[in-house]
């Protein structure tokens, strides 16, 4: 799973997956280890039914199911993205935009 996410970040590909029993479509921006020691992904939700202010997610990889790289590209970082995500251990960021 981590390899798929890292590849999607590097290639700027949209991902789909299930998280918290909800189907998500996202643009992955960073993957690394959280301060709690979990592998996580910072991503921006796209598509319908996304409330303003709810676009950004920090997802624990262990809770992701049905992960798919759609092969659809996205142009780059979204407003509000900050490199070296404060919720990840800087030394353990696997990939980021």
């Amino acid at each position: 799973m981590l390899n798929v996410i890292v590849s999607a970040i590097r290639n700027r590909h949209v991902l789909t997956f299930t998280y918290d029993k909800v189907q998500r479509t996202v643009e992955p921006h960073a993957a690394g280890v959280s301060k709690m020691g979990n592998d996580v992904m910072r991503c921006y939700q796209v598509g319908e039914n996304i409330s303003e202010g709810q676009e950004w997610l920090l997802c624990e990889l262990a809770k992701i199911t049905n992960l798919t790289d759609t092969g659809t590209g996205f142009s780059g970082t979204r407003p509000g993205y900050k490199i070296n995500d404060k919720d990840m251990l800087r030394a353990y960021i696997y990939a980021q935009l």
Side-chain angles (χ1 to χ4, degrees):
M1 177 180 306
L2 181 58
N3 291 338
V4 171
I5 293 168
V6 168
S7 176
I9 292 167
R10 291 183 177 152
N11 294 305
R12 296 183 179 179
H13 284 178
V14 172
L15 297 173
T16 61
F17 56 88
T18 304
Y19 192 78
D20 289 337
K21 300 179 183 178
V22 177
Q23 183 67 27
R24 315 279 182 165
T25 302
V26 304
E27 297 172 355
H29 280 55
V33 177
S34 72
K35 293 178 180 178
M36 300 296 292
N38 301 309
D39 284 340
V40 294
M41 170 178 50
R42 175 71 68 193
C43 53
Y44 187 90
Q45 292 190 94
V46 295
E48 299 177 16
N49 303 321
I50 307 299
S51 301
E52 188 173 334
Q54 300 297 314
E55 299 92 353
W56 286 105
L57 294 174
L58 183 66
C59 301
E60 286 186 38
L61 273 51
K63 296 179 181 179
I64 291 174
T65 59
N66 305 315
L67 177 68
T68 302
D69 181 334
T70 67
T72 303
F74 64 96
S75 61
T77 61
R78 291 288 188 149
Y81 174 67
K82 294 177 179 63
I83 197 164
N84 297 323
D85 194 303
K86 66 176 178 53
D87 292 320
M88 296 181 195
L89 298 172
R90 189 173 279 182
Y92 294 99
I93 295 176
Y94 306 128
Q96 61 185 335
L97 295 180

